[in-house]
Amino acid sequence: MRNVNMRQRAGCPPTRSARLLLLTACLTLFVSVPAAAGLDPSSWTYFTRTDSGLDAVLRNDIDLPLVTLRLGLPVGRLHDPQGKEGMAELLAHTLTDVRAGQVEALGGESGAFVTNDYTVFWVRGLAADYERLLVLLVRTVAEPQVGKAGLARARDRLRGELKLDQSMPGAMARRRLMEELYGDKHPLRRNVTMRSLGRTKLKDAEARLARVYGASGAHLVVVGAVDRGRFAAGVETAAGQWPSGERLPPVPEPEVKLSGPQVVRVAMKGLTQSSIILGWPGIARTDPDWERFQVFNHVLGGGGFASRLMQAVRVEEGRTYGINSSASAGLTPGPLTVSTATASAATDDTIATILRELQRLLKDGITDRELEEAREYLLGRYQLVRATPDGRASAMISEAMLGLDDIEEYDHCENLEAVDAAGALEVGRCFFDAGNYVLVVVEAGKK
């Protein structure tokens, strides 16, 4: 075990709306418990690293006698071998199922999820069981138990989810968008299929786990009523001998060049409305312009009823129940999308309204009121997400896996406060283009 240290960092100063959001959360979640003995409430975070390369961080939280643990590995969907798409999720489900009964025997819960860039395994339970929960969590990947029966159960579950997904017009529209937007060789274009799930055999799973599911590049986050001594000793016991493993090469950034509108219309039987999605090449979460992009996107379509698109398409024209613009942003920049559903007869008019509002925003810019509301909302949401131990742990593991916690000068809240209307508009113009885009419409017709 090397370089054990403690670091304190102040959270973002709450804005007026953030204070109201936090107060609501605290009133909802408050439970009175006696103070835990032997803890140092002044320590915000406490870091350690094993010799094999696992970075671990403790966030003291003594309000409840609980602990939440997140273990992240730099293996995500985009690292799946070509032709075996879905492997990362298949392994996550299989490994979690093996230890789930042991976690439940302690009164805890467990699970896993996979992003484009990484996989996270998690457990939560009583702080008194911290050591046992940590051992079970680490052994899930350090001593994997994979059999044909477990792999088959996970495959059946994922195939059921995929079958449901393929029956939904919105999901079909997004799959087609990814195929049109990205080149044949980039993993963002490759979709999970029934066939690709079947190509991962037991020997493939075992080889993959032995090769890349190691401590190197992995991160552990612990949030709860655990002191520094127990934290460090637990990490050494559970992960001190975990092999480093092999680091996968980074996923290359996709090269996307759009020339005019690219329109794809997909017929699907039995529909009474159309699913619409427009897409552009996107932004990475680590991009220095991320906060400026967030403000622009909030004003365009990411801010619910405060957004231009919701006001125009739903409130003024009554053509949809909801419309949203968003970014699939990680280490690899995924697509920017605007998506909605509308009555079949209103499809073309709805598309025209979306493009009109985008053109208007790109031309006229963001008002002072929109800027202030966007910053207030985004700062408040940032605080609210971290108002619970689970939310704090999830945010911390995401930041760790994306490398944001290693950037000393990076401060999300300060960056948001510094965004001005001109800067947000400049970034919006870099990413959104009302004349060059991919449009997919899934609509009624013979399939």
Side-chain angles (χ1 to χ4, degrees), residues 48 126 128 139 209 244 254 296 304 316 373 392 395 419 446-447:
T48 189
L126 293 173
R139 285 181 178 173
L209 291 168
S244 297
F296 182 89
E316 295 172 11
E373 288 179 350
R392 195 151 47 242
V419 175
K446 295 181 179 179
K447 189 174 178 180

Side-chain angles (χ1 to χ4, degrees), residues 51-341:
D51 291 334
S52 55
L54 170 68
D55 284 324
V57 56
L58 166 71
R59 166 65 194 261
N60 245 230
D61 188 332
I62 62 174
D63 291 334
L64 295 171
L66 304 173
V67 66
T68 294
L69 303 94
R70 299 282 190 276
L71 179 62
L73 292 91
V75 184
R77 295 189 192 99
L78 298 185
H79 301 104
D80 287 340
Q82 187 165 3
K84 297 178 181 177
E85 290 79 17
M87 177 183 278
E89 290 187 87
L90 191 58
L91 294 180
H93 282 291
T94 303
L95 296 178
T96 302
D97 288 348
V98 171
R99 308 282 182 181
Q102 294 170 279
V103 175
E104 290 172 2
L106 296 174
E109 297 176 291
S110 62
F113 63 88
V114 181
T115 74
N116 280 349
D117 302 301
Y118 56 86
T119 299
V120 173
F121 297 88
W122 60 267
V123 297
R124 59 172 170 253
L126 293 173
D129 295 321
Y130 157 70
E131 289 83 0
R132 286 182 287 181
L133 290 169
L134 178 57
V135 166
L136 290 173
L137 178 63
V138 173
R139 285 181 178 173
T140 296
V141 290
E143 300 175 15
Q145 298 177 11
V146 183
K148 287 185 177 180
L151 199 62
R153 284 194 299 271
R155 184 183 293 112
D156 288 343
R157 185 190 314 173
L158 288 173
R159 280 177 166 169
E161 293 174 0
L162 179 59
K163 186 175 181 180
L164 177 62
D165 200 51
Q166 290 175 336
S167 70
M168 301 174 68
M172 178 183 290
R174 185 175 181 87
R175 289 169 71 90
R176 286 300 304 271
L177 175 77
M178 301 298 282
E179 293 171 357
E180 296 295 326
L181 194 57
Y182 298 103
D184 291 341
K185 295 183 179 179
H186 199 276
L188 276 169
R189 187 188 189 279
R190 302 200 299 259
N191 288 309
V192 178
T193 66
M194 298 292 183
R195 180 175 295 180
S196 70
L197 286 171
R199 288 190 178 126
T200 296
K201 308 301 183 183
L202 180 59
K203 64 178 182 179
D204 302 312
E206 291 174 338
R208 186 71 162 177
L209 291 168
R211 178 187 166 204
V212 300
Y213 281 63
S216 179
H219 290 265
L220 171 69
V221 169
V222 178
V223 177
V226 177
D227 63 32
R228 283 175 286 171
R230 288 182 66 201
F231 166 70
V235 172
E236 177 63 30
T237 299
Q241 302 302 313
W242 184 14
S244 297
E246 179 182 334
R247 292 292 298 275
L248 292 169
V251 177
E253 187 166 328
E255 296 182 6
V256 182
K257 294 182 180 179
L258 298 178
S259 179
Q262 299 177 29
V263 181
V264 178
R265 291 185 176 265
V266 180
M268 191 171 181
K269 293 175 64 176
L271 298 183
T272 58
Q273 62 178 14
S274 300
S275 288
I276 300 166
I277 185 167
L278 291 93
W280 297 263
I283 184 172
R285 174 61 183 86
T286 52
D287 193 301
D289 286 325
W290 172 249
E291 285 80 13
R292 286 185 282 271
F293 171 82
Q294 276 195 303
V295 169
F296 182 89
N297 183 66
H298 180 92
V299 175
L300 173 64
F305 279 95
S307 72
R308 298 268 188 107
L309 291 177
M310 185 72 92
Q311 285 295 311
V313 180
R314 173 172 174 167
V315 176
E316 295 172 11
E317 298 180 356
R319 293 201 176 108
T320 186
Y321 284 108
I323 184 169
N324 175 263
S325 65
S326 63
S328 177
L331 289 171
T332 306
L336 311 180
T337 58
V338 173
S339 56
T340 190

Side-chain angles (χ1 to χ4, degrees), residues 429-447:
R429 286 172 173 166
C430 288
F431 289 98
F432 289 97
D433 187 336
N436 299 286
Y437 53 85
V438 174
L439 167 65
V440 178
V441 181
V442 178
E443 56 193 345
K446 295 181 179 179
K447 189 174 178 180

Side-chain angles (χ1 to χ4, degrees), residues 367-385:
T367 68
D368 290 341
R369 179 176 178 178
E370 287 174 327
L371 173 67
E372 183 62 23
E373 288 179 350
R375 288 189 307 198
E376 288 279 333
Y377 174 85
L378 292 167
L379 285 164
R381 186 179 66 180
Y382 181 87
Q383 290 284 352
L384 185 57
V385 165

